[in-house]
Amino acid sequence: MTDLSQEPTAAGDTRGRVAELHAIREQVRRGPSERATEAQHAKGKLTARERIGLLLDPDSFREVEPLRRHRATGFGLEGKKPYTDGVVTGWGTVEGRTVFVYAHDFRIFGGALGEAHAAKIHKIMDMAIAAGAPLVSLNDGAGARIQEGVVALAGYGGIFQRNTKASGVIPQISVMLGPCAGGAAYSPALTDFVFMVRETAQMFITGPDVVKAVTGEEISQNGLGGAEVHAATSGVAHFAYDDEATCLEEVRYLLSMLPANNRENPPAAQSADPAGRRCEALLDLVPADGNRPYDMRAVIEEIVDDGEVLEVHERWATNILCVLARLDGQVVGIVANQPSVLAGVLDIEASEKAARFVQMCDAFNIPIVTLLDVPGFLPGVDQEHGGIIRHGAKLLYAYCNATVPRVSVVLRKAYGGAYIVMDSQSIGADVTYAWPTNEIAVMGAEGAANVIFRRRIAAADDPDETRAELVKEYKAELMHPYYAAERGLVDDVIDPADTRTVLVDTLAMLRNKHADLPARKHGNPPQ
């Protein structure tokens, strides 16, 4: 095969020049060498173009600057100037809708970023912002190109600046398919969603060798920054999959639920699931006894169209669920406590997870449904010292700042500050409902009785019997299912089986909701 680094030869006529062009394009398409391609496949990884082929609709990709080459000299670079400079950029369609993409080609300079490489990414990011279309990055690179020095680092700065400019304007999705080390890891962290492939993808600021040299700790690349770590421990990755094909198919599914930009609504779809379908199963799924756990996922799947959900951060902060789904064909974001994990309490990580999800939904015009069954914030020294006040305030701020339609449903417990934070009517929920099993209160009846009647209980001949009687009295007076409704704190108490119908009708009413925010550059949310 012809060496990609050689200069094109002059052709005598137009046909000759066209033939030369096609020959060069074929070289670009095939990549640096068959050996490099085989090495990529041997690692269980696809090439950049194979990945783009899985992401985009067939024959829809239009490449930008395929003939770009670097201008660097020294360290042997002047003799190695492959086309594309190690990154494939362009646009195509996903289910007929325009999507921009760039993909690192690990076969060329290990996918490392140099000046020309960065310029191509900057250009495609600018095009995505100008066109108002999603941007997907397929990451498989070895960081900055050391031979080009600080120029390569400046290239990252340009990417970060554009990530920030595009934030909340167009959906940005990072797909981690190989290594991503050092400053390069900050670009995915600035985007809306991060996908990772197990075993082959890693993200870390300092690698295992540096960690060992500085701290003495020995750890593998996957143990330090693999997909499992970031999906379940750090929360950096929203999704993790076993192979690239499945991962890219799920990226396509996510894109089908997102608008092209912040000026559009998410795409609607025809649903064969009747909007008025009664959910009789809910009567058995959720125990009336507030101390008995259940799986909130089953509740969500019963309510939404065809039981289909896309759960975000499925393995991180599992005491709260953040889900994208459809109701009568319309995309909704669902935030729900998970009683089967830590009784559904809010803690630092759950607050951060839900706050980020609420902000994303609000940015891209996705209505928010909140399902409450929350006993409060998780008590403990670690939580207080870790800043639960600050982190819990992130969720409060996100809800208060959201202008999309917001509907909340109290299934069972809704106690204390956690009730307020989880999109209560008092912080701006448009419509609030409750099931007849709801308990909305400052705290549980037992705890309340112990505080209010502690002297009577202590002075009683039989403290346990007295406590039980007073708990019963407190429940009857202040915690019966209609207490909040009688005081206008919920708009209605509904039959659980009607939840789907009620949500569909309410969201249809709110579809053209308009809310004005005060003039400001931006808020100053808790950090």
Side-chain angles (χ1 to χ4, degrees):
M1 188 174 74
T2 305
D3 185 355
L4 288 176
S5 65
Q6 76 175 28
E7 296 298 326
T9 57
D13 56 20
T14 301
R15 291 185 182 276
R17 290 180 181 273
V18 170
E20 179 187 54
L21 170 64
H22 285 301
I24 292 173
R25 285 189 174 278
E26 178 60 20
Q27 291 178 27
V28 172
R29 186 193 65 79
R30 294 178 65 181
S33 69
E34 291 297 329
R35 182 178 178 183
T37 301
E38 290 170 2
Q40 181 79 348
H41 288 165
K43 297 174 185 175
K45 301 196 295 184
L46 301 175
T47 66
R49 295 179 190 279
E50 288 170 340
R51 290 163 174 166
I52 291 172
L54 290 174
L55 173 68
L56 301 178
D57 296 336
D59 301 320
S60 69
F61 182 56
R62 174 67 64 179
E63 191 168 354
V64 174
E65 294 192 353
L67 306 183
R68 187 73 176 256
R69 290 168 152 177
H70 71 76
R71 301 177 295 179
T73 58
F75 305 103
L77 288 178
E78 62 274 7
K80 189 176 183 182
K81 295 186 176 183
Y83 292 118
T84 74
D85 200 47
V87 64
V88 181
T89 61
W91 76 88
T93 60
V94 172
E95 296 187 2
R97 302 165 66 223
T98 299
V99 172
F100 287 80
V101 60
Y102 68 85
H104 299 125
D105 191 340
F106 194 83
R107 300 172 301 169
I108 298 175
F109 299 126
L113 181 139
E115 181 185 24
H117 183 120
K120 290 181 64 175
I121 295 176
H122 296 168
K123 182 169 186 174
I124 210 67
M125 295 179 79
D126 290 339
M127 291 174 70
I129 295 169
L135 174 70
V136 178
S137 63
L138 305 180
N139 297 269
D140 185 8
R145 196 173 299 169
I146 298 172
Q147 299 94 320
E148 294 193 29
V150 73
V151 175
L153 292 179
Y156 277 121
I159 293 173
F160 303 157
Q161 190 270 339
R162 288 166 173 83
N163 284 137
T164 304
K165 181 180 178 181
S167 181
V169 178
I170 58 172
Q172 299 180 85
I173 299 174
S174 298
V175 188
M176 315 311 296
L177 302 162
C180 184
Y186 282 114
S187 177
L190 289 169
T191 61
D192 300 300
F193 297 98
V194 176
F195 288 71
M196 292 188 75
V197 174
R198 295 184 179 95
E199 301 303 324
T200 58
Q202 302 90 30
M203 295 173 68
F204 37 69
I205 300 300
T206 55
D209 292 342
V210 177
V211 169
K212 182 178 179 180
V214 174
T215 71
E217 299 170 289
E218 292 192 24
I219 193 167
S220 66
Q221 287 196 347
N222 280 322
L224 181 64
E228 286 299 300
V229 169
H230 289 310
T233 304
S234 73
V236 170
H238 299 77
F239 306 95
Y241 298 99
D242 290 333
D243 59 86
E244 295 189 13
T246 303
C247 181
L248 293 169
E249 182 60 33
E250 290 300 301
V251 174
R252 286 176 58 88
Y253 182 48
L254 173 59
L255 286 167
S256 75
M257 305 188 81
L258 299 176
N261 55 66
N262 64 338
R263 300 183 301 277
E264 298 183 7
N265 290 323
Q270 290 294 324
S271 175
D273 196 347
R277 171 174 58 82
R278 280 179 59 81
C279 304
E280 297 287 349
L282 295 179
L283 301 174
D284 299 315
L285 282 173
V286 181
D289 181 357
N291 294 319
R292 290 180 58 193
Y294 63 93
D295 188 356
M296 184 67 83
R297 285 191 186 89
V299 174
I300 296 172
E301 290 169 359
E302 177 65 22
I303 293 171
V304 303
D305 291 358
D306 303 310
E308 293 184 0
V309 300
L310 179 62
E311 186 173 347
V312 179
H313 274 140
E314 180 179 358
R315 301 192 55 211
W316 181 61
T318 53
N319 44 319
I320 201 161
L321 304 178
C322 296
V323 169
L324 289 172
R326 293 183 185 272
L327 280 169
D328 196 28
Q330 303 291 332
V331 177
V332 296
I334 300 175
V335 179
N337 307 110
Q338 174 57 295
S340 66
V341 179
L342 295 175
V345 296
L346 287 178
D347 61 4
I348 289 172
E349 291 185 344
S351 299
E352 288 192 340
K353 171 180 170 178
R356 174 76 169 173
F357 184 74
V358 168
Q359 289 174 173
M360 184 280 299
C361 289
D362 187 50
F364 295 116
N365 307 313
I366 299 172
I368 301 168
V369 173
T370 305
L371 304 179
L372 287 88
D373 192 346
V374 59
F377 283 93
L378 181 65
V381 174
D382 289 344
Q383 288 291 305
E384 296 296 343
H385 288 186
I388 185 61
I389 296 172
R390 176 167 51 87
H391 293 285
K394 294 179 183 179
L395 180 55
L396 179 61
Y397 187 99
Y399 269 125
C400 290
N401 203 47
T403 61
V404 293
R406 291 155 50 190
V407 182
S408 62
V409 184
V410 181
L411 278 60
R412 294 195 312 187
K413 300 184 297 295
Y415 293 163
Y419 154 62
I420 300 298
V421 166
M422 289 288 292
D423 207 18
S424 62
Q425 190 179 93
S426 60
I427 66 168
D430 295 297
V431 185
T432 57
Y433 297 106
W435 286 7
T437 48
N438 82 82
E439 293 181 1
I440 302 174
V442 175
M443 63 176 66
E446 288 78 8
N450 285 335
V451 172
I452 298 171
F453 306 115
R454 64 183 181 278
R455 291 179 180 173
R456 286 179 59 183
I457 293 171
D461 294 334
D462 189 340
D464 291 338
E465 182 179 347
T466 301
R467 181 184 294 106
E469 291 175 355
L470 293 173
V471 166
K472 185 177 180 180
E473 178 184 333
Y474 183 86
K475 282 186 175 181
E477 288 292 326
L478 297 178
M479 291 184 65
H480 62 79
Y482 307 102
Y483 183 85
E486 290 170 358
R487 285 151 182 79
L489 298 176
V490 298
D491 292 292
D492 199 7
V493 178
I494 63 172
D495 180 345
D498 291 332
T499 303
R500 172 178 166 82
T501 304
V502 168
L503 288 175
V504 168
D505 290 346
T506 305
L507 290 170
M509 176 273 293
L510 291 168
R511 195 158 295 146
N512 294 320
K513 173 188 173 183
H514 175 75
D516 290 318
L517 291 174
R520 60 183 176 184
K521 287 181 66 176
H522 54 75
N524 187 21
Q527 296 297 322

